Amino acid sequence: MANKFAIVTGASTGIGFELASIAAENGYDLLVVADEPLINAAAQDFKQHDVEVIAVEADLATLQGVDTLLAAANGRQVDLLCANAGRGLGHGFLDQDVADWRRVVDTNITGTLYLLQKVLKAMVARDDGKVLITGSIAGFIPGSFQAVYNGSKAFVDSFADAIRNEIKDSKGVTITTLMPGPVETEFFDRADMLDTSVGSSDSKSDPAAVARDGWNALMKGDAHIVSGWKNKVQAAVAHVTPSAILAEQHREMAEPGSADEG
């Protein structure tokens, strides 16, 4: 058993898998979770780094799922939390089933907040701990044909800034927001967006590189990290561009069928 213990959510694939791998490389015992059986196969990869790994299959869109995750920690002190689990959803809002868009909100917002509140209370009480929250530059952009997802990331980005200020007297606790752009993961397939310009693009970021950016910022205690220079430019431009223009630009990337245009 290592002296350090980390929880990584959404760790079966993508950015979460890479974050868990880096944590294991750095000697953290792991509690990893995802809402699919693939998390058990991922755990075998993490164990190659000679750390203890607990894998939990749970739905973090529910409070019960978060409670199941925390129970698996068995009271162990959480030194590091990577709140990475997230869910996307493409197509027009009026065409989406309530159950589908609510699952995005419950995963990206409700479950994330519940987990953060539980873990941060203990960290603040002892004035020690590190948290990485996976936000997105999507939170800066009105997301036509991805409206609920972008809205949820706008919430997460803003919430992280607010909580960071609330606990600013706890100098030993840091909260870092990782804000990537489009990443080459299963996200677009699961969000039914493979027929969109952004979903079919071959210029998406490498999840390993994004995770490394996030990890380095986390270790330094930085408040934010926008991963990738193109995304840094896009984030900066978004702050000075009218919302109507941003929404139209996003439509060109995310409207169903846009992969076949041009």
Side-chain angles (χ1 to χ4, degrees), residues 38-72:
L38 189 59
I39 190 61
N40 295 299
Q44 297 305 312
D45 286 327
F46 308 144
K47 288 178 180 178
Q48 295 176 17
H49 299 286
D50 294 324
V51 295
E52 181 179 299
V53 181
I54 303 169
V56 175
E57 183 182 348
D59 183 1
L60 299 186
T62 68
L63 301 188
Q64 294 87 350
V66 177
D67 284 337
T68 297
L69 168 64
L70 293 172

Side-chain angles (χ1 to χ4, degrees), residues 27-180:
Y28 283 84
D29 286 338
L30 293 175
L31 172 54
V32 292
V33 61
D35 62 355
E36 58 183 356
L38 189 59
I39 190 61
N40 295 299
Q44 297 305 312
D45 286 327
F46 308 144
K47 288 178 180 178
Q48 295 176 17
H49 299 286
D50 294 324
V51 295
E52 181 179 299
V53 181
I54 303 169
V56 175
E57 183 182 348
D59 183 1
L60 299 186
T62 68
L63 301 188
Q64 294 87 350
V66 177
D67 284 337
T68 297
L69 168 64
L70 293 172
N74 198 29
R76 188 168 178 184
Q77 175 179 302
V78 179
D79 301 295
L80 185 152
L81 168 64
C82 294
N84 170 77
R87 183 172 293 275
L89 183 63
H91 296 278
F93 174 65
L94 299 184
D95 298 324
Q96 294 168 352
D97 290 338
V98 173
D100 290 337
W101 64 251
R102 181 172 177 177
R103 188 166 176 78
V104 173
V105 172
D106 286 343
T107 302
N108 298 0
I109 297 178
T110 307
T112 297
L113 264 60
Y114 184 55
L115 176 61
L116 288 170
Q117 188 175 57
K118 291 285 189 178
V119 173
L120 275 169
K121 278 186 177 181
M123 287 184 173
V124 170
R126 66 175 187 270
D127 196 21
D128 182 64
K130 292 181 177 296
V131 173
L132 181 70
I133 303 171
T134 301
S136 176
I137 65 168
F140 305 142
I141 305 168
S144 304
F145 295 97
Q146 208 175 354
V148 176
Y149 174 78
N150 283 39
S152 73
K153 288 302 182 179
F155 180 99
V156 168
D157 292 346
S158 175
F159 177 83
D161 285 339
I163 299 307
R164 189 180 299 111
N165 178 266
E166 286 188 18
I167 67 167
K168 67 178 183 178
D169 292 334
S170 299
K171 304 299 184 184
V173 181
T174 62
I175 299 175
T176 301
T177 311
L178 170 60
M179 293 178 284

